[in-house]
Amino acid sequence: MTAKKIIELTEQFDALTIKNQMKILAGKAVNSRYLFYKEITEEFEKTLLQALLEKYDYNLLKMSTSVKLHRNTIAKKMKKMKIKEKKAKAK
């Protein structure tokens, strides 16, 4: 596959709603011979949590307010998934 085709497909995928993107990913996961439901959902949750943490610069209070999930729940999920808190930047 050429780089041009990959860019074109990526742009088409990005233009879809999140719901339709999830349908595509779910279809690929269903056809995987080596992934199971628990692994798929855990990987999705970890990926989503990491993306949210980066978006909110690891500020759990801001993130929890925005996504309507208690900050202690977020902290527990981070611990369970072995996601380390970002170190504060030196000023």
Side-chain angles (χ1 to χ4, degrees), residues 1-87:
M1 190 177 299
T2 66
K4 184 177 179 181
K5 184 65 175 175
I6 292 170
I7 291 169
E8 182 182 317
L9 291 171
T10 301
E11 288 171 351
Q12 290 173 0
F13 186 77
D14 289 343
L16 297 173
T17 64
I18 189 74
K19 187 174 185 177
N20 286 334
Q21 289 176 356
M22 300 259 315
K23 284 180 182 179
I24 291 169
L25 294 173
K28 291 190 75 60
V30 165
N31 293 321
S32 171
R33 293 176 32 185
Y34 304 105
L35 288 177
F36 300 100
Y37 183 83
K38 185 177 179 183
E39 293 167 319
I40 293 166
T41 56
E42 285 174 354
E43 185 60 34
F44 178 78
E45 186 176 24
K46 183 175 182 177
T47 302
L48 179 60
L49 185 59
Q50 287 173 321
L52 287 166
L53 287 164
E54 289 174 15
K55 177 180 179 179
Y56 291 99
D57 199 31
Y58 286 73
N59 184 322
L60 300 188
L61 185 57
K62 282 184 182 179
M63 181 181 151
S64 68
T65 302
S66 179
V67 300
K68 307 292 188 247
L69 189 63
H70 196 279
R71 62 185 170 79
N72 290 343
T73 303
I74 295 169
K76 287 177 188 174
K77 288 180 178 293
M78 288 174 66
K79 184 176 181 180
K80 178 183 172 193
M81 296 176 194
K82 297 181 174 103
I83 299 172
K84 301 212 186 286
E85 285 194 47
K86 188 172 134 182
K87 305 263 186 202

